[in-house]
Amino acid sequence: MFSYFSLTNFNGLGVISSFFFFLFCLLISMTDFQMVSSGFTADEMLEIESIKMYKKELLDDIQKLKMEIDNVMAGILSFESAEENQTLVRSRQFSNGKKKFNMEPKKGINYLVENKLLKRTANSIAEFLYKEEGLNKTAIGEFLGEREALSLQTLKAFVELHEFSDLNLVQALRQFLWSFRLPGEAQKIDRMMEAFATRYCDCNTHVFQSTDTCYILSFAIIMLNTSLHNPNVKEKTTLERFVCMNRGINNGQDLPNELLSKLYESIRNEPFKIPADDGNDLTHTFFNPDREGWLQKLGGRVKTWKRRWFILTDNCLYYFEFTTDKEPRGIIPLENLCVREVNFHRRPFCLELYNPNSQKIKACKTETDGRVVEGKHQSYTICTASAEERDAWIQAIRASITKDPFYDLVSVRKKKVINQAPQD
């Protein structure tokens, strides 16, 4: 009697199909037998009744088998659906984590770790920063530049993911500076370039006598790139000056002129490709400003006062027509500028941004037709609502104003090399 059937006896749908075909044929034969049952003896009729009972039991077993198959298939579909949903949820969480990282790197890393999408280890985070697409290069630089233990360990692991073997210094710098965007703070730059110099010397033990030499020359190359390819630099560095600048940096000895010439020509022929801020660039820039608020700005060509929403962040002063605007009407880089208190007729609480060298300020603004043009201001006059607000803005702007940090860093390292050089 066929009373119970387990799916584990089947090896595939082909077997199931064959079995159902067999049952179908058997039932057909029973039906045909019933149709010609007239004229049988009493014993034969009892046998026929027995066959009918068997047919009923067989139909019940078939129904049970069908229900078992349906339940198993439903379970399989449910499992696959749950797996797909879980994959979708994880994918969304990972995407959210990347967005959070681009906005605030530490919070993004914490989110990914808390959702078990990333391990809180230097190697795991470094690999994420090095390989994952869609990460803001400025955010990567910000995280790697921090002084916290995890960031310092991650910086080391991140640099070790770069392979610099058999590359000259310019080639290695091109690779390194493309993987993130250098931050503006001198101490962060110092730590990053120190890590780069150590890694380069580990990969190329025969090139320099010390990591200090690699460090100094790397900065010299970066400054050379600025000198040769920045249109605002009028006096371009010559090969002779570049060689002279780097005398005695190899533990008191000169580097080969052939090496310096090759590096110089490489930069002159092709500038560094510095990664643009990708991902949520503007959102990242204005997410956590140093200061923001409504101020009055005096026009340059037409001397009228206009109310603008100002945001101070990343060593720049941005101003918007409305707080809801996605892009600023103007950008004032604060590098090498000064700020002071000034008084205007009927406007006592003013401040002025100016260039101490009486040069035009390097700024830009968006015209009403959408064109971005270079600003023509030699100074910017801005009015606040009170003396307290004016003083707070002056203090915040002074804290934000920076000079090129490379020169101080290189100067300190050169003194160290000269002092450590063996004396005759």
Side-chain angles (χ1 to χ4, degrees):
M1 180 66 62
F2 183 80
S3 59
Y4 177 76
F5 196 86
S6 173
L7 283 178
T8 56
N9 294 329
F10 290 105
N11 292 321
L13 292 176
V15 177
I16 295 174
S17 300
S18 299
F19 179 73
F20 275 118
F21 181 73
F22 165 73
L23 293 178
F24 176 75
C25 292
L26 180 60
L27 292 173
I28 291 296
S29 66
M30 288 180 177
T31 304
D32 292 341
F33 181 73
Q34 184 178 5
M35 292 172 62
V36 296
S37 62
S38 58
F40 287 113
T41 65
D43 291 339
E44 289 173 335
M45 291 301 295
L46 287 174
E47 184 66 26
I48 290 173
E49 288 299 322
S50 177
I51 292 173
K52 287 181 178 179
M53 291 295 294
Y54 177 70
K55 172 186 175 182
K56 183 178 182 303
E57 291 177 359
L58 189 59
L59 286 171
D60 290 342
D61 286 337
I62 292 173
Q63 186 62 32
K64 291 177 182 178
L65 178 61
K66 183 177 180 300
M67 291 176 64
E68 188 175 346
I69 292 173
D70 289 344
N71 289 336
V72 171
M73 293 303 296
I76 292 173
L77 292 173
S78 176
F79 177 77
E80 291 178 346
S81 177
E83 263 197 341
E84 289 177 1
N85 288 339
Q86 182 65 18
T87 301
L88 183 61
V89 168
R90 302 285 284 176
S91 177
R92 286 176 178 172
Q93 286 178 333
F94 193 70
S95 178
N96 287 337
K98 288 165 61 175
K99 289 179 180 178
K100 288 178 182 291
F101 176 85
N102 288 342
M103 300 276 283
E104 289 191 271
K106 289 182 185 178
K107 289 187 177 180
I109 294 296
N110 289 336
Y111 176 87
L112 292 168
V113 171
E114 289 166 3
N115 287 278
K116 302 186 186 309
L117 297 166
L118 197 63
K119 295 179 181 177
R120 195 181 290 279
T121 64
N123 288 337
S124 177
I125 297 173
E127 193 164 331
F128 167 74
L129 300 181
Y130 185 74
K131 295 181 178 180
E132 189 59 41
E133 296 182 358
L135 295 182
N136 185 289
K137 298 293 180 71
T138 300
I140 295 175
E142 182 181 335
F143 183 84
L144 294 175
E146 295 296 331
R147 292 189 61 183
E148 296 177 3
L150 182 60
S151 288
L152 294 174
Q153 295 164 7
T154 303
L155 172 61
K156 184 176 184 296
F158 180 84
V159 175
E160 289 176 352
L161 290 172
H162 291 76
E163 182 51 61
F164 297 140
S165 298
D166 301 322
L167 298 181
N168 68 38
L169 192 56
V170 169
Q171 292 170 329
L173 279 170
R174 290 189 195 282
Q175 182 189 135
F176 184 61
L177 296 178
W178 182 251
S179 62
F180 69 101
R181 192 176 178 91
L182 274 175
E185 296 89 335
Q187 291 182 342
K188 292 184 179 182
I189 296 172
D190 178 58
R191 287 193 291 272
M192 292 175 166
M193 296 308 296
E194 181 70 50
F196 166 80
T198 300
R199 176 61 176 167
Y200 183 84
C201 290
D202 287 344
C203 293
N204 302 276
T205 56
H206 60 286
V207 177
F208 302 115
Q209 293 188 22
S210 72
T211 57
D212 287 331
T213 303
C214 180
Y215 176 99
I216 295 168
L217 187 57
S218 297
F219 269 117
I221 291 170
I222 293 173
M223 290 188 285
L224 174 67
N225 181 81
T226 301
S227 170
L228 294 180
H229 299 289
N230 188 331
N232 293 319
V233 178
K234 305 303 180 184
E235 189 176 339
K236 305 298 182 183
T237 301
T238 63
L239 173 60
E240 292 73 19
R241 184 181 174 191
F242 179 69
V243 171
C244 183
M245 286 169 52
N246 292 289
R247 292 196 187 282
I249 66 171
N250 198 24
N251 278 4
Q253 301 177 8
D254 293 344
L255 291 166
N257 282 351
E258 181 183 357
L259 170 65
L260 295 176
S261 297
K262 185 176 181 179
L263 299 177
Y264 181 92
E265 290 300 321
S266 178
I267 289 297
R268 188 176 72 170
N269 293 333
E270 183 183 357
F272 285 134
K273 293 180 180 179
I274 305 300
D277 284 335
D278 45 9
N280 300 306
D281 178 37
L282 285 178
T283 307
H284 169 75
T285 299
F286 305 129
F287 185 76
N288 188 25
D290 299 324
R291 190 171 180 83
E292 60 184 341
W294 287 107
L295 302 172
Q296 299 278 339
K297 184 182 80 69
L298 183 62
R301 183 165 47 88
V302 181
K303 298 299 181 182
T304 57
W305 293 93
K306 291 186 177 179
R307 189 170 183 257
R308 295 287 183 256
W309 178 257
F310 278 81
I311 291 180
L312 175 63
T313 185
D314 290 341
N315 311 122
C316 286
L317 193 59
Y318 302 84
Y319 58 90
F320 302 76
E321 188 170 358
F322 305 104
T323 57
T324 54
D325 289 348
K326 292 184 177 180
E327 296 186 5
R329 286 294 303 272
I331 305 174
I332 309 170
L334 299 176
E335 184 177 350
N336 297 323
L337 296 186
C338 294
V339 61
R340 62 190 172 193
E341 174 186 336
V342 294
N343 288 319
F344 258 74
H345 180 60
R346 294 183 181 178
R347 292 182 183 269
F349 310 122
C350 294
L351 60 93
E352 182 184 48
L353 283 168
Y354 66 98
N355 190 317
N357 298 320
S358 300
Q359 297 176 350
K360 184 172 63 176
I361 295 175
K362 295 182 292 183
C364 64
K365 66 176 182 177
T366 305
E367 297 285 18
T368 53
D369 59 3
R371 292 181 300 113
V372 178
V373 298
E374 184 179 1
K376 298 180 180 180
H377 289 258
Q378 288 192 333
S379 66
Y380 285 86
T381 303
I382 298 168
C383 182
T384 67
S386 67
E388 292 77 11
E389 186 180 10
R390 177 198 61 205
D391 295 343
W393 272 100
I394 289 176
Q395 183 179 358
I397 291 172
R398 281 177 178 163
S400 184
I401 289 174
T402 60
K403 297 182 180 180
D404 192 333
F406 291 167
Y407 295 98
D408 291 338
L409 292 173
V410 173
S411 176
V412 170
R413 196 58 64 100
K414 278 187 176 181
K415 289 179 181 178
K416 176 185 173 183
V417 170
I418 293 172
N419 292 334
Q420 290 180 346
Q423 301 297 322
D424 293 335

